[in-house]
Amino acid sequence: RPSARPSSGINAEYGEDLSAQAQMQAAEQFKPQPEASITAESKDVPVVDEESEDDEVDESGVEAKDIDLVMAQANVSRAKAVKALKNNANDIVNAIMELTM
């Protein structure tokens, strides 16, 4: 025998929108995890930046306008922008992708 409840996803008995509940539960997956979920092993490993922000970097072979563009688009330091450009044969798009992906 067919159910008397509508198939719209709304529980007629309680007036609840079940699809909204499902959406909220799905959204919970994407919330940032609290610090307590990070393992002790990963906390003990210091993060070492290969080049400090203040270090002078060899910009030979790289155009200043390309460096500025990569810095602006990837929101990185000049040293990181130069390194990415050199790693990608001065290809601006690939340098930005390396820094942002």
Side-chain angles (χ1 to χ4, degrees):
R1 172 174 176 194
S3 172
R5 292 188 180 162
S7 62
S8 67
I10 297 177
N11 184 335
E13 187 174 343
Y14 297 105
E16 297 175 29
D17 186 349
L18 300 179
S19 63
Q21 284 180 335
Q23 288 175 347
M24 292 300 291
Q25 288 173 347
E28 290 292 321
Q29 297 176 46
F30 300 104
K31 285 189 177 178
Q33 298 299 318
E35 285 292 321
S37 68
I38 298 174
T39 63
E41 298 163 8
S42 64
K43 283 186 175 180
D44 295 339
V45 178
V47 177
V48 179
D49 195 9
E50 291 178 17
E51 295 182 27
S52 150
E53 302 288 322
D54 299 329
D55 288 346
E56 288 296 316
V57 63
D58 180 21
E59 297 178 8
S60 61
V62 183
E63 292 189 36
K65 65 182 174 92
D66 293 348
I67 298 169
D68 293 336
L69 181 59
V70 171
M71 286 174 60
Q73 292 298 313
N75 196 26
V76 295
S77 68
R78 190 166 195 85
K80 287 183 181 181
V82 169
K83 183 178 178 186
L85 282 163
K86 286 186 175 186
N87 287 346
N88 291 285
N90 292 333
D91 185 304
I92 297 168
V93 173
N94 286 333
I96 293 169
M97 287 177 58
E98 174 185 317
L99 293 166
T100 58
M101 304 292 284

Coordinates of all heavy atoms in Angstrom, one line a residue:
R1 N 0.8 -1.2 0.0 CA 0.0 0.0 0.0 C 0.9 1.2 0.0 O 1.8 1.3 0.8 CB -0.9 -0.1 1.3 CG -1.7 1.1 1.5 CD -2.6 0.9 2.7 NE -3.2 2.1 3.0 CZ -3.9 2.4 4.0 NH1 -4.0 1.5 5.0 NH2 -4.4 3.6 4.2
P2 N 0.6 2.2 -0.8 CA 1.5 3.4 -0.9 C 1.4 4.3 0.4 O 0.3 4.3 1.0 CB 0.9 4.2 -2.1 CG -0.3 3.5 -2.6 CD -0.4 2.2 -1.8
S3 N 2.5 4.9 0.7 CA 2.5 5.8 1.9 C 1.8 7.1 1.6 O 1.7 7.6 0.5 CB 4.0 6.1 2.2 OG 4.1 7.1 3.2
A4 N 1.2 7.6 2.7 CA 0.4 8.9 2.6 C 1.4 10.1 2.6 O 0.9 11.2 2.4 CB -0.6 8.9 3.7
R5 N 2.6 9.8 2.9 CA 3.6 11.0 3.0 C 4.0 11.4 1.6 O 4.2 10.6 0.7 CB 4.8 10.5 3.8 CG 4.5 10.3 5.2 CD 5.8 10.0 5.9 NE 5.5 9.8 7.3 CZ 6.3 9.2 8.2 NH1 7.5 8.9 7.8 NH2 6.0 9.1 9.4
P6 N 4.2 12.7 1.5 CA 4.6 13.2 0.2 C 6.1 12.9 -0.1 O 6.8 12.6 0.9 CB 4.5 14.8 0.3 CG 4.5 15.0 1.8 CD 3.9 13.8 2.4
S7 N 6.5 12.8 -1.3 CA 7.9 12.4 -1.7 C 8.8 13.6 -1.9 O 9.8 13.5 -2.5 CB 7.9 11.5 -2.9 OG 7.3 12.3 -4.0
S8 N 8.4 14.8 -1.4 CA 9.1 16.0 -1.6 C 10.4 16.1 -0.7 O 11.1 17.1 -0.8 CB 8.2 17.2 -1.4 OG 7.9 17.3 0.0
G9 N 10.6 15.2 0.2 CA 11.7 15.3 1.1 C 11.3 16.0 2.4 O 12.1 16.3 3.3
I10 N 10.0 16.4 2.6 CA 9.6 17.1 3.8 C 8.8 16.1 4.6 O 7.9 15.4 4.1 CB 8.7 18.3 3.4 CG1 9.5 19.3 2.7 CG2 8.1 18.9 4.7 CD1 8.8 20.5 2.3
N11 N 9.2 15.9 5.8 CA 8.5 15.0 6.7 C 7.2 15.7 7.1 O 7.2 16.6 8.0 CB 9.4 14.7 7.9 CG 8.8 13.6 8.8 OD1 7.6 13.5 8.9 ND2 9.7 13.0 9.6
A12 N 6.1 15.2 6.6 CA 4.8 15.9 6.8 C 4.4 15.8 8.3 O 3.7 16.7 8.8 CB 3.7 15.3 5.9
E13 N 4.8 14.7 8.9 CA 4.4 14.5 10.3 C 5.0 15.6 11.2 O 4.3 16.1 12.1 CB 4.8 13.1 10.8 CG 4.2 12.7 12.1 CD 4.5 11.3 12.5 OE1 4.9 10.5 11.6 OE2 4.5 11.0 13.7
Y14 N 6.2 15.9 11.0 CA 6.9 16.9 11.9 C 7.2 18.2 11.2 O 7.7 19.1 11.8 CB 8.2 16.3 12.4 CG 8.0 15.0 13.3 CD1 8.2 13.8 12.8 CD2 7.5 15.2 14.5 CE1 8.0 12.6 13.5 CE2 7.2 14.1 15.3 CZ 7.5 12.8 14.8 OH 7.3 11.7 15.6
G15 N 7.0 18.3 9.9 CA 7.2 19.5 9.2 C 8.7 19.8 9.0 O 9.1 20.9 8.9
E16 N 9.6 18.8 9.0 CA 11.0 18.9 8.9 C 11.4 18.8 7.4 O 10.9 18.0 6.7 CB 11.7 17.8 9.7 CG 11.5 17.9 11.1 CD 12.2 16.7 11.8 OE1 13.2 16.2 11.3 OE2 11.7 16.3 12.9
D17 N 12.3 19.6 7.0 CA 12.9 19.5 5.7 C 14.1 18.6 5.7 O 15.2 19.0 6.2 CB 13.2 20.9 5.1 CG 13.7 20.8 3.7 OD1 13.9 19.7 3.1 OD2 13.8 21.9 3.1
L18 N 13.9 17.3 5.3 CA 15.0 16.3 5.4 C 16.2 16.7 4.5 O 17.3 16.3 4.8 CB 14.5 14.9 5.1 CG 13.4 14.5 6.1 CD1 12.9 13.1 5.7 CD2 13.8 14.5 7.5
S19 N 15.9 17.3 3.3 CA 17.0 17.6 2.4 C 17.9 18.7 3.0 O 19.1 18.7 2.8 CB 16.5 18.0 1.1 OG 15.7 19.2 1.2
A20 N 17.4 19.6 3.8 CA 18.2 20.6 4.4 C 19.1 20.0 5.5 O 20.2 20.4 5.6 CB 17.3 21.7 5.1
Q21 N 18.5 19.0 6.2 CA 19.4 18.3 7.2 C 20.5 17.5 6.5 O 21.7 17.6 6.9 CB 18.5 17.2 7.9 CG 17.6 17.8 9.0 CD 16.8 16.7 9.7 OE1 16.6 15.7 9.2 NE2 16.4 17.0 10.9
A22 N 20.2 16.9 5.4 CA 21.3 16.2 4.6 C 22.4 17.2 4.1 O 23.5 16.9 4.2 CB 20.7 15.5 3.4
Q23 N 21.9 18.4 3.7 CA 22.9 19.4 3.2 C 23.8 19.8 4.4 O 25.0 20.0 4.2 CB 22.2 20.6 2.6 CG 21.5 20.3 1.3 CD 20.7 21.4 0.7 OE1 20.4 22.4 1.5 NE2 20.4 21.4 -0.5
M24 N 23.2 20.0 5.5 CA 24.0 20.5 6.7 C 25.0 19.4 7.1 O 26.1 19.7 7.4 CB 23.1 20.8 7.9 CG 22.2 22.0 7.6 SD 23.1 23.5 7.4 CE 23.9 23.8 8.9
Q25 N 24.6 18.1 7.0 CA 25.5 17.1 7.4 C 26.6 17.0 6.4 O 27.8 16.8 6.7 CB 24.8 15.7 7.5 CG 23.9 15.6 8.7 CD 23.0 14.4 8.7 OE1 22.9 13.7 7.7 NE2 22.4 14.1 9.8
A26 N 26.3 17.2 5.1 CA 27.4 17.2 4.1 C 28.3 18.3 4.3 O 29.5 18.2 4.1 CB 26.7 17.2 2.7
A27 N 27.8 19.5 4.7 CA 28.7 20.7 4.8 C 29.6 20.5 6.0 O 30.7 21.0 6.0 CB 27.8 21.9 5.1
E28 N 29.3 19.7 7.0 CA 30.1 19.4 8.1 C 31.5 18.8 7.7 O 32.5 19.0 8.4 CB 29.4 18.5 9.2 CG 28.3 19.1 9.9 CD 28.7 20.2 10.8 OE1 29.7 20.1 11.5 OE2 27.9 21.3 10.9
Q29 N 31.5 18.1 6.6 CA 32.7 17.4 6.2 C 33.8 18.4 5.8 O 34.9 18.1 5.9 CB 32.4 16.6 4.9 CG 31.5 15.5 5.1 CD 31.2 14.8 3.8 OE1 32.1 14.5 3.0 NE2 30.0 14.5 3.5
F30 N 33.3 19.6 5.4 CA 34.3 20.6 4.9 C 34.8 21.6 5.9 O 35.5 22.5 5.5 CB 33.7 21.3 3.6 CG 33.4 20.3 2.5 CD1 32.1 19.9 2.3 CD2 34.4 19.7 1.8 CE1 31.8 19.0 1.3 CE2 34.1 18.8 0.8 CZ 32.8 18.5 0.6
K31 N 34.3 21.5 7.1 CA 34.7 22.5 8.1 C 36.2 22.1 8.5 O 36.5 21.0 8.5 CB 33.8 22.4 9.4 CG 32.5 23.0 9.2 CD 31.7 23.1 10.5 CE 30.4 23.8 10.3 NZ 29.7 23.9 11.5
P32 N 37.0 23.1 8.8 CA 38.4 22.9 9.2 C 38.4 22.0 10.5 O 37.6 22.2 11.4 CB 39.0 24.2 9.5 CG 37.9 25.2 9.2 CD 36.7 24.5 8.8
Q33 N 39.3 21.1 10.5 CA 39.5 20.2 11.7 C 40.2 21.0 12.8 O 41.1 21.8 12.6 CB 40.3 19.0 11.3 CG 39.6 18.2 10.3 CD 38.3 17.6 10.7 OE1 38.1 17.2 11.8 NE2 37.3 17.7 9.8
P34 N 39.8 20.8 14.1 CA 40.5 21.4 15.2 C 41.9 20.9 15.4 O 42.3 19.9 14.9 CB 39.6 21.1 16.4 CG 38.9 19.8 16.0 CD 38.7 19.9 14.5
E35 N 42.7 21.7 16.0 CA 44.1 21.4 16.2 C 44.3 20.0 16.9 O 45.3 19.4 16.6 CB 44.8 22.5 17.1 CG 45.1 23.8 16.4 CD 46.2 23.6 15.3 OE1 47.2 22.9 15.6 OE2 46.0 24.2 14.3
A36 N 43.4 19.6 17.7 CA 43.6 18.4 18.4 C 43.6 17.2 17.5 O 44.1 16.1 17.8 CB 42.4 18.2 19.4
S37 N 43.1 17.3 16.3 CA 43.1 16.2 15.3 C 44.4 16.0 14.7 O 44.6 15.0 14.0 CB 42.0 16.4 14.3 OG 42.3 17.5 13.4
I38 N 45.3 16.9 14.8 CA 46.7 16.8 14.2 C 47.5 15.9 15.0 O 47.5 16.0 16.3 CB 47.4 18.2 14.0 CG1 46.6 19.1 13.1 CG2 48.8 18.0 13.5 CD1 47.1 20.5 13.0
T39 N 48.1 14.9 14.4 CA 48.9 13.9 15.2 C 50.1 14.6 15.8 O 50.6 15.6 15.3 CB 49.4 12.8 14.3 OG1 50.2 13.3 13.3 CG2 48.2 12.0 13.7
A40 N 50.6 14.0 16.9 CA 51.8 14.5 17.6 C 53.0 14.5 16.7 O 53.8 15.4 16.8 CB 52.0 13.7 18.9
E41 N 53.1 13.5 15.8 CA 54.2 13.4 14.9 C 54.3 14.6 14.0 O 55.4 15.2 13.8 CB 54.1 12.2 14.1 CG 54.1 10.9 14.9 CD 53.5 9.7 14.0 OE1 53.3 9.9 12.8 OE2 53.3 8.7 14.6
S42 N 53.2 15.1 13.5 CA 53.3 16.2 12.5 C 53.6 17.5 13.3 O 54.1 18.4 12.7 CB 52.0 16.3 11.7 OG 50.9 16.6 12.6
K43 N 53.2 17.6 14.5 CA 53.5 18.8 15.3 C 55.0 19.0 15.6 O 55.5 20.1 15.7 CB 52.7 18.8 16.6 CG 51.3 19.2 16.5 CD 50.7 19.3 17.9 CE 49.2 19.7 17.8 NZ 48.6 19.8 19.1
D44 N 55.7 17.9 15.7 CA 57.1 17.9 16.1 C 58.0 18.3 15.0 O 59.1 18.6 15.2 CB 57.5 16.5 16.7 CG 56.8 16.2 18.0 OD1 56.3 17.1 18.6 OD2 56.7 15.0 18.3
V45 N 57.5 18.2 13.7 CA 58.3 18.5 12.6 C 58.3 20.0 12.3 O 57.2 20.5 12.0 CB 57.8 17.7 11.3 CG1 58.6 18.0 10.1 CG2 57.8 16.2 11.6
P46 N 59.4 20.6 12.4 CA 59.4 22.1 12.2 C 59.3 22.4 10.7 O 59.8 21.6 9.8 CB 60.8 22.5 12.7 CG 61.6 21.3 12.6 CD 60.7 20.2 12.8
V47 N 58.6 23.4 10.3 CA 58.5 23.8 8.9 C 59.6 24.8 8.6 O 59.8 25.8 9.3 CB 57.1 24.6 8.7 CG1 57.0 25.0 7.3 CG2 56.0 23.6 9.1
V48 N 60.4 24.4 7.6 CA 61.6 25.2 7.3 C 61.4 25.7 5.9 O 61.2 24.9 4.9 CB 62.9 24.3 7.3 CG1 64.1 25.1 6.9 CG2 63.1 23.7 8.7
D49 N 61.4 27.0 5.8 CA 61.2 27.6 4.5 C 62.6 27.6 3.8 O 63.6 28.0 4.4 CB 60.7 29.1 4.7 CG 60.2 29.7 3.3 OD1 60.1 28.9 2.4 OD2 60.0 30.9 3.3
E50 N 62.7 27.2 2.6 CA 64.0 27.1 1.9 C 64.7 28.4 1.8 O 65.9 28.5 1.9 CB 63.8 26.4 0.5 CG 63.4 25.0 0.6 CD 63.2 24.4 -0.7 OE1 63.6 25.0 -1.7 OE2 62.6 23.3 -0.8
E51 N 63.9 29.4 1.5 CA 64.5 30.7 1.4 C 63.7 31.7 2.2 O 62.5 31.8 2.2 CB 64.5 31.2 -0.1 CG 65.3 30.3 -1.0 CD 65.3 30.9 -2.4 OE1 65.1 32.1 -2.6 OE2 65.5 30.1 -3.3
S52 N 64.4 32.5 3.0 CA 63.8 33.5 3.9 C 63.2 34.6 3.0 O 63.7 34.8 1.9 CB 64.8 34.0 4.9 OG 64.6 35.3 5.2
E53 N 62.2 35.3 3.5 CA 61.6 36.4 2.7 C 62.6 37.5 2.4 O 62.5 38.2 1.5 CB 60.4 36.9 3.6 CG 59.4 35.9 3.9 CD 58.5 35.5 2.7 OE1 58.2 36.3 1.8 OE2 58.2 34.3 2.6
D54 N 63.6 37.7 3.3 CA 64.5 38.8 3.2 C 65.8 38.5 2.3 O 66.5 39.4 2.0 CB 65.0 39.3 4.5 CG 63.8 39.8 5.4 OD1 62.8 40.3 4.8 OD2 63.9 39.6 6.6
D55 N 66.0 37.2 2.0 CA 67.2 36.8 1.3 C 67.1 37.4 -0.2 O 66.1 37.4 -0.8 CB 67.3 35.3 1.2 CG 67.7 34.6 2.5 OD1 68.1 35.4 3.4 OD2 67.6 33.4 2.6
E56 N 68.3 37.8 -0.6 CA 68.4 38.2 -2.0 C 68.4 37.0 -2.9 O 69.0 36.0 -2.5 CB 69.6 39.1 -2.2 CG 69.6 40.4 -1.6 CD 68.5 41.3 -2.2 OE1 68.4 41.3 -3.4 OE2 67.8 42.0 -1.5
V57 N 67.7 37.0 -4.0 CA 67.6 35.9 -4.9 C 68.1 36.3 -6.2 O 68.0 37.4 -6.7 CB 66.2 35.3 -4.9 CG1 65.2 36.3 -5.5 CG2 66.1 34.0 -5.7
D58 N 68.8 35.3 -6.9 CA 69.4 35.6 -8.2 C 68.2 35.6 -9.2 O 67.6 34.6 -9.5 CB 70.3 34.5 -8.6 CG 70.9 34.7 -10.0 OD1 70.9 35.8 -10.5 OD2 71.4 33.7 -10.6
E59 N 68.0 36.8 -9.8 CA 66.8 37.0 -10.7 C 67.3 37.0 -12.1 O 66.5 37.3 -13.0 CB 66.1 38.3 -10.4 CG 65.5 38.4 -9.0 CD 64.8 39.7 -8.7 OE1 64.7 40.6 -9.6 OE2 64.4 39.9 -7.6
S60 N 68.5 36.6 -12.4 CA 69.1 36.6 -13.8 C 68.3 35.6 -14.6 O 67.9 34.5 -14.2 CB 70.5 36.3 -13.8 OG 70.7 35.0 -13.3
G61 N 67.9 36.1 -15.8 CA 67.2 35.2 -16.7 C 65.7 35.3 -16.5 O 64.9 34.6 -17.2
V62 N 65.2 36.1 -15.5 CA 63.8 36.2 -15.3 C 63.4 37.7 -15.3 O 64.1 38.5 -14.7 CB 63.5 35.6 -13.9 CG1 62.0 35.7 -13.6 CG2 64.0 34.2 -13.7
E63 N 62.4 38.0 -16.1 CA 61.9 39.4 -16.2 C 61.2 39.9 -15.0 O 60.4 39.1 -14.4 CB 61.0 39.6 -17.4 CG 61.8 39.4 -18.7 CD 60.9 39.7 -19.9 OE1 60.2 40.7 -19.8 OE2 61.0 39.1 -21.0
A64 N 61.5 41.1 -14.6 CA 60.9 41.7 -13.3 C 59.4 41.7 -13.4 O 58.7 41.5 -12.4 CB 61.5 43.1 -13.1
K65 N 58.8 42.0 -14.6 CA 57.4 42.1 -14.7 C 56.8 40.7 -14.5 O 55.7 40.6 -14.0 CB 57.0 42.7 -16.1 CG 57.3 41.9 -17.3 CD 56.9 42.6 -18.6 CE 57.4 41.9 -19.8 NZ 56.5 40.9 -20.3
D66 N 57.5 39.7 -15.0 CA 57.0 38.3 -14.8 C 57.0 37.9 -13.3 O 56.0 37.3 -12.8 CB 57.8 37.3 -15.5 CG 57.7 37.4 -17.0 OD1 56.8 38.2 -17.5 OD2 58.5 36.8 -17.8
I67 N 58.0 38.3 -12.6 CA 58.1 38.1 -11.1 C 57.0 38.8 -10.4 O 56.3 38.2 -9.6 CB 59.5 38.6 -10.6 CG1 60.6 37.8 -11.2 CG2 59.5 38.4 -9.1 CD1 62.0 38.4 -11.0
D68 N 56.8 40.1 -10.8 CA 55.7 40.8 -10.1 C 54.3 40.2 -10.3 O 53.5 40.2 -9.4 CB 55.7 42.3 -10.6 CG 57.0 43.1 -10.2 OD1 57.6 42.7 -9.2 OD2 57.3 44.0 -10.9
L69 N 54.1 39.7 -11.6 CA 52.8 39.1 -11.9 C 52.6 37.8 -11.1 O 51.5 37.6 -10.5 CB 52.7 38.8 -13.4 CG 51.4 38.2 -13.9 CD1 50.3 39.1 -13.6 CD2 51.5 38.0 -15.4
V70 N 53.6 37.0 -11.0 CA 53.5 35.7 -10.3 C 53.3 36.0 -8.8 O 52.5 35.4 -8.1 CB 54.7 34.8 -10.5 CG1 54.7 33.6 -9.6 CG2 54.8 34.4 -11.9
M71 N 54.0 37.0 -8.2 CA 53.9 37.4 -6.8 C 52.5 37.8 -6.6 O 51.9 37.4 -5.6 CB 54.8 38.6 -6.5 CG 56.3 38.2 -6.4 SD 57.4 39.6 -6.1 CE 56.7 40.3 -4.6
A72 N 51.9 38.7 -7.4 CA 50.5 39.2 -7.2 C 49.5 38.1 -7.4 O 48.6 38.0 -6.5 CB 50.3 40.3 -8.2
Q73 N 49.6 37.2 -8.3 CA 48.6 36.2 -8.6 C 48.7 35.1 -7.6 O 47.6 34.5 -7.2 CB 48.7 35.7 -10.0 CG 48.4 36.7 -11.1 CD 46.9 37.1 -11.0 OE1 46.0 36.3 -10.9 NE2 46.7 38.4 -11.1
A74 N 49.9 34.7 -7.2 CA 50.0 33.6 -6.2 C 50.1 34.0 -4.8 O 50.1 33.2 -3.9 CB 51.2 32.7 -6.6
N75 N 50.2 35.3 -4.6 CA 50.4 35.9 -3.2 C 51.6 35.3 -2.5 O 51.4 34.8 -1.4 CB 49.1 35.7 -2.4 CG 49.0 36.6 -1.2 OD1 49.6 37.7 -1.2 ND2 48.2 36.2 -0.2
V76 N 52.7 35.3 -3.1 CA 54.0 34.8 -2.5 C 55.1 35.8 -2.5 O 54.9 36.9 -3.1 CB 54.4 33.5 -3.3 CG1 53.4 32.4 -3.2 CG2 54.7 33.8 -4.8
S77 N 56.2 35.5 -1.9 CA 57.3 36.4 -1.8 C 58.0 36.4 -3.2 O 57.8 35.6 -4.0 CB 58.3 35.9 -0.7 OG 58.9 34.6 -1.2
R78 N 58.9 37.4 -3.3 CA 59.7 37.5 -4.5 C 60.5 36.3 -4.8 O 60.6 35.8 -5.9 CB 60.5 38.8 -4.5 CG 61.2 39.2 -5.8 CD 61.7 40.6 -5.8 NE 62.0 41.1 -7.1 CZ 61.1 41.6 -7.9 NH1 59.9 41.7 -7.6 NH2 61.5 42.0 -9.1
A79 N 61.2 35.8 -3.7 CA 62.1 34.6 -3.8 C 61.3 33.4 -4.3 O 61.8 32.7 -5.2 CB 62.7 34.3 -2.5
K80 N 60.1 33.2 -3.8 CA 59.3 32.0 -4.2 C 58.8 32.2 -5.7 O 58.8 31.2 -6.4 CB 58.1 31.9 -3.3 CG 58.4 31.3 -2.0 CD 57.2 31.1 -1.1 CE 57.6 30.5 0.3 NZ 56.4 30.3 1.1
A81 N 58.5 33.4 -6.1 CA 58.1 33.7 -7.4 C 59.2 33.4 -8.4 O 59.0 32.7 -9.4 CB 57.6 35.1 -7.6
V82 N 60.4 33.9 -8.1 CA 61.6 33.6 -8.9 C 61.9 32.1 -9.0 O 62.1 31.6 -10.1 CB 62.8 34.4 -8.4 CG1 64.1 34.0 -9.1 CG2 62.6 35.9 -8.5
K83 N 61.9 31.5 -7.9 CA 62.1 30.0 -7.9 C 61.1 29.3 -8.8 O 61.5 28.4 -9.6 CB 62.1 29.5 -6.5 CG 62.4 28.0 -6.4 CD 62.4 27.6 -5.0 CE 62.7 26.1 -4.9 NZ 62.6 25.5 -3.5
A84 N 59.8 29.6 -8.7 CA 58.8 29.0 -9.5 C 59.0 29.2 -10.9 O 58.8 28.3 -11.8 CB 57.4 29.4 -9.0
L85 N 59.3 30.5 -11.3 CA 59.5 30.8 -12.7 C 60.7 30.0 -13.3 O 60.7 29.5 -14.4 CB 59.8 32.3 -12.9 CG 58.5 33.2 -12.8 CD1 58.8 34.6 -12.6 CD2 57.7 33.0 -14.1
K86 N 61.8 29.9 -12.5 CA 63.0 29.2 -12.9 C 62.7 27.7 -13.1 O 63.1 27.0 -14.0 CB 64.2 29.4 -12.0 CG 64.8 30.8 -12.2 CD 66.0 31.0 -11.4 CE 66.6 32.3 -11.6 NZ 67.9 32.5 -11.0
N87 N 61.8 27.2 -12.2 CA 61.5 25.7 -12.2 C 60.6 25.4 -13.4 O 60.5 24.3 -13.9 CB 60.7 25.3 -11.0 CG 61.5 25.2 -9.7 OD1 62.7 25.2 -9.8 ND2 60.8 25.2 -8.6
N88 N 60.0 26.5 -14.0 CA 59.0 26.3 -15.1 C 59.5 27.0 -16.4 O 58.6 27.4 -17.2 CB 57.6 26.7 -14.7 CG 57.0 25.8 -13.6 OD1 56.6 24.7 -13.9 ND2 57.1 26.3 -12.4
A89 N 60.8 27.2 -16.5 CA 61.3 27.8 -17.7 C 60.6 29.1 -18.1 O 60.3 29.4 -19.2 CB 61.2 26.8 -18.9
N90 N 60.4 29.9 -17.0 CA 59.8 31.3 -17.2 C 58.4 31.2 -17.7 O 57.9 32.3 -18.2 CB 60.7 32.2 -18.0 CG 62.0 32.5 -17.4 OD1 62.1 32.5 -16.2 ND2 63.0 32.8 -18.2
D91 N 57.7 30.1 -17.6 CA 56.3 30.0 -17.9 C 55.5 30.5 -16.8 O 55.4 29.9 -15.7 CB 56.0 28.6 -18.3 CG 54.5 28.4 -18.8 OD1 53.6 28.9 -18.1 OD2 54.4 27.9 -19.9
I92 N 54.8 31.7 -17.0 CA 54.1 32.3 -15.9 C 52.9 31.5 -15.4 O 52.8 31.3 -14.2 CB 53.6 33.7 -16.4 CG1 54.8 34.6 -16.7 CG2 52.7 34.4 -15.3 CD1 54.4 35.9 -17.5
V93 N 52.2 30.9 -16.3 CA 51.0 30.2 -15.9 C 51.4 28.9 -15.1 O 50.8 28.7 -14.0 CB 50.2 29.7 -17.2 CG1 49.1 28.8 -16.8 CG2 49.6 30.9 -17.9
N94 N 52.4 28.2 -15.5 CA 52.8 27.0 -14.8 C 53.5 27.4 -13.5 O 53.3 26.7 -12.5 CB 53.8 26.2 -15.6 CG 53.1 25.4 -16.7 OD1 51.9 25.1 -16.6 ND2 53.8 25.1 -17.8
A95 N 54.2 28.5 -13.4 CA 54.7 29.0 -12.1 C 53.6 29.3 -11.1 O 53.7 28.9 -10.0 CB 55.6 30.2 -12.4
I96 N 52.6 30.0 -11.6 CA 51.5 30.3 -10.7 C 50.8 29.0 -10.2 O 50.4 28.9 -9.1 CB 50.5 31.3 -11.4 CG1 51.2 32.6 -11.6 CG2 49.2 31.4 -10.6 CD1 50.4 33.6 -12.5
M97 N 50.6 28.1 -11.2 CA 49.9 26.8 -10.8 C 50.8 26.0 -9.8 O 50.2 25.5 -8.9 CB 49.7 26.0 -12.1 CG 48.6 26.6 -12.9 SD 48.3 25.7 -14.4 CE 47.9 24.0 -13.9
E98 N 52.1 26.1 -10.0 CA 53.0 25.4 -9.0 C 52.8 25.9 -7.6 O 52.8 25.2 -6.6 CB 54.4 25.5 -9.4 CG 55.4 25.0 -8.4 CD 56.9 25.2 -8.8 OE1 57.2 25.1 -10.0 OE2 57.7 25.6 -7.9
L99 N 52.6 27.2 -7.5 CA 52.5 27.9 -6.2 C 51.1 27.8 -5.6 O 51.0 28.0 -4.4 CB 53.0 29.4 -6.4 CG 54.4 29.6 -6.7 CD1 54.7 31.0 -7.2 CD2 55.3 29.2 -5.5
T100 N 50.1 27.6 -6.4 CA 48.8 27.7 -5.9 C 48.0 26.3 -5.8 O 47.0 26.2 -5.2 CB 47.9 28.7 -6.7 OG1 47.9 28.3 -8.0 CG2 48.5 30.1 -6.5
M101 N 48.5 25.4 -6.5 CA 47.8 24.1 -6.6 C 48.3 23.1 -5.5 O 49.4 23.2 -5.1 CB 47.9 23.4 -8.0 CG 47.5 24.3 -9.1 SD 45.7 24.7 -9.2 CE 45.1 23.2 -9.8

